[in-house]
Amino acid sequence: MQYKTLTAYKKALFWLFLFLFILVFVLSFFTPMLADDYSYSFSYADRSRISSLSGIFSSLEAHRSSMNGRMAAHFFAHLFLMLPKALFSLANSLVALATFSLIYLTIRSNDSGRDFAIMLIVLFLVWLYTPVFGQVFLWLDGACNYAWAFFFIYTFIFPYCRAYLFNLSASPFGRLGKLLFMPLAFLAGSYSEGASFGMLFIAFCFLLCLWRRDKKLPRFLLLSLFVAALGYLYLMSAPSEWSGRTGSFSLEVIAKNIKRMISAPQETMMVLFSLYAVLLTACICFKMQRELIVTSVILFLGAWASIVLFAAAIYFPWRSLLMMSMLLVISCALMLSRLCQAGFRRWLPLAAALAGSLFIFQFVLGLGDIANVYSQYIRREAAIETAVENGETQVWLQPYVADTKYSGAYLLADIYEDCWSWPNYDLAAYYGIDEIYALPSEAGQGGA
């Protein structure tokens, strides 16, 4: 009977991950091209439409000088924008599946039922408390810059966490994995200004803890951190990272930025902070494993480290909070798993039911909003097609109206009444039209 129950939970976990894969594929496919997608359809070198790998590389060279140094993220954006949308949806689903598989490996125990319930809670919490969910998981350019960044970054962090928390081999990927891990370390280090900085901070903290506990440092992890730091240096040495992307260093500007950095997490994921505080307190009170408590604190501090550089930035997009929300969820899942192991398992189904009841309402609302924006996209495409067929050089379009964070269009720059505003001129170039205008509308939403 026990064996049958174990097998049933493993099957349930398989179906859960299959559902995740299909869901991300479908929602990515029905999230239309938005804002930066039109810009990255063109080369930053000569404004030609990108149609080859050579065109991507010449564009990235110019992009590094004029926009930012995120070469990997924008390589993927350029690549998938010149390919059929289904290929991006497939790749995005695989990245999401790999990300949550790594999270599962982090919290996995010898109790399949507990692991299944906690993974359910993880998925519920990510859906509920990821700020601007559609922008970071479903929108093409946003996913390449944020969700994919977290995948590479967490893949890098995983062996450090594994070595300290579980006292296992520093290289979980085998001999071949060691060779492949070095390019991945460079890639992860060069992927994102904020998230990669948080990653380096977390890896450094785990190395300090390993040295303090074991009186030695794993050479593989030490070398990996060095390579990742080189990647970060490559990212931040891009001329564009220091020309116009940082704000004034006056105390007034920094104070305003810090206020935004605190108010945004409070507004979007206060429940996660409260849950983290309760679980951490419980782990301390019930004298759980020291490595568990230290790991949860490192992930918490790393979450804040991932946004600390925005204190000197000229803007702070909520998309940058993805790493914070994901690390908080992982930390909570780890502590919850260990507390269940210590005798609190009976409360786990209740916790899953509570999170599930909150999830189901937001899930249905999110699906409806994504479908609604996609229907607006179909109408917009039809209007543009008609205008092109009629030889019109000017087109007036209705801005997208998105009501929830699950649509990629929510709080994202859309078209404006001025045809020379961005991204109007990139939409016009994409469709071969001279000028595109937004129709005035009180309901229109083109938030920055």
Side-chain angles (χ1 to χ4, degrees):
M1 182 68 179
Q2 191 174 14
Y3 173 78
K4 289 182 179 179
T5 303
L6 183 67
T7 303
Y9 280 125
K10 287 184 176 180
K11 287 182 178 179
L13 194 63
F14 168 80
W15 288 111
L16 178 64
F17 280 116
L18 180 61
F19 172 76
L20 170 68
F21 177 85
I22 295 173
L23 179 68
V24 174
F25 180 90
V26 172
L27 297 188
S28 299
F29 188 82
F30 286 104
T31 296
M33 288 182 66
L34 300 162
D36 301 65
D37 288 346
Y38 293 100
S39 301
Y40 285 98
S41 297
F42 297 95
S43 171
Y44 278 81
D46 56 15
R47 289 293 297 167
S48 63
R49 184 74 175 267
I50 291 181
S51 58
S52 66
L53 285 176
S54 60
I56 292 177
F57 290 119
S58 62
S59 177
L60 290 178
E61 184 179 356
H63 187 276
R64 180 172 166 81
S65 298
S66 61
M67 295 297 292
N68 59 60
R70 279 178 257 141
M71 297 292 96
H74 294 112
F75 169 81
F76 290 129
H78 277 319
L79 176 66
F80 285 105
L81 282 166
M82 73 176 190
L83 296 174
K85 180 65 177 289
L87 291 180
F88 164 72
S89 300
L90 177 61
N92 199 35
S93 299
L94 291 172
V95 169
L97 184 62
T99 300
F100 285 96
S101 296
L102 275 176
I103 295 173
Y104 168 71
L105 291 176
T106 305
I107 61 101
R108 184 176 58 177
S109 67
N110 57 359
D111 186 336
S112 296
R114 182 173 79 215
D115 296 344
F116 173 75
I118 291 177
M119 281 307 300
L120 265 182
I121 293 173
V122 165
L123 293 173
F124 292 157
L125 292 178
V126 169
W127 182 271
L128 288 167
Y129 301 112
T130 298
V132 288
F133 182 97
Q135 286 187 28
V136 295
F137 280 114
L138 307 177
W139 171 40
L140 191 151
D141 184 71
C144 290
N145 276 271
Y146 297 95
W148 292 29
F150 184 77
F151 164 67
F152 290 114
I153 284 169
Y154 193 67
T155 303
F156 176 82
I157 292 172
F158 178 70
Y160 291 83
C161 179
R162 183 178 187 266
Y164 179 69
L165 182 58
F166 303 113
N167 200 20
L168 295 172
S169 167
S171 177
F173 307 111
R175 191 170 295 178
L176 177 61
K178 278 189 175 183
L179 296 176
L180 297 177
F181 196 77
M182 293 304 155
L184 182 139
F186 188 90
L187 176 65
S190 65
Y191 211 98
S192 168
E193 298 89 346
S196 294
F197 180 80
M199 176 197 80
L200 294 174
F201 173 83
I202 291 171
F204 179 74
C205 288
F206 276 127
L207 281 181
L208 280 181
C209 292
L210 284 167
W211 177 79
R212 188 169 186 271
R213 185 188 68 186
D214 303 335
K215 306 304 179 187
K216 61 180 181 179
L217 288 173
R219 285 180 295 178
F220 170 70
L221 295 184
L222 193 60
L223 179 59
S224 298
L225 180 58
F226 176 73
V227 173
L230 289 179
Y232 193 71
L233 180 63
Y234 172 74
L235 166 68
M236 298 305 290
S237 64
S240 54
E241 293 292 344
W242 301 97
S243 57
R245 299 198 68 211
T246 56
S248 167
F249 284 94
S250 68
L251 288 177
E252 180 183 1
V253 171
I254 292 176
K256 287 182 179 178
N257 285 343
I258 291 175
K259 181 181 177 181
R260 287 186 300 165
M261 288 162 51
I262 294 175
S263 62
Q266 180 192 29
E267 185 176 342
T268 56
M269 59 182 93
M270 194 62 210
V271 171
L272 284 183
F273 283 102
S274 300
L275 180 60
Y276 173 86
V278 169
L279 291 172
L280 181 62
T281 302
C283 287
I284 294 172
C285 289
F286 291 101
K287 299 180 179 179
M288 303 300 293
Q289 178 191 12
R290 182 180 65 179
E291 283 82 358
L292 170 69
I293 295 171
V294 172
T295 296
S296 66
V297 172
I298 289 174
L299 294 180
F300 178 82
L301 295 177
W304 284 102
S306 71
I307 64 169
V308 70
L309 295 183
F310 286 97
I314 58 176
Y315 69 99
F316 177 54
W318 280 12
R319 296 186 292 275
S320 301
L321 293 171
L322 173 65
M323 184 164 171
M324 174 177 279
S325 64
M326 293 297 290
L327 290 179
L328 284 172
V329 169
I330 293 168
S331 184
C332 288
L334 268 173
M335 292 188 288
L336 183 60
S337 178
R338 294 301 179 88
L339 286 169
C340 289
Q341 189 177 354
F344 292 85
R345 193 185 190 283
R346 72 185 70 177
W347 303 106
L348 189 57
L350 299 179
L354 175 61
S357 64
L358 297 172
F359 163 80
I360 193 66
F361 286 97
Q362 291 300 310
F363 182 69
V364 174
L365 288 172
L367 292 186
D369 198 30
I370 291 169
N372 179 40
V373 171
Y374 186 74
S375 68
Q376 295 175 51
Y377 164 74
I378 294 299
R379 290 196 296 272
R380 179 183 285 189
E381 289 286 297
I384 293 173
E385 184 179 354
T386 299
V388 171
E389 289 176 352
N390 294 336
E392 299 175 16
T393 59
Q394 297 178 325
V395 180
W396 280 260
L397 302 172
Q398 188 71 45
Y400 289 135
V401 179
D403 299 319
T404 73
K405 65 181 182 179
Y406 302 104
S407 168
Y410 182 71
L411 298 181
L412 190 66
D414 193 22
I415 53 176
Y416 298 99
E417 293 182 35
D418 178 8
C419 70
W420 303 117
S421 296
W422 179 85
N424 289 50
Y425 53 79
D426 281 333
L427 267 77
Y430 184 86
Y431 291 105
I433 296 171
D434 290 346
E435 298 170 4
I436 286 182
Y437 301 85
L439 289 167
S441 172
E442 293 181 2
Q445 180 175 326

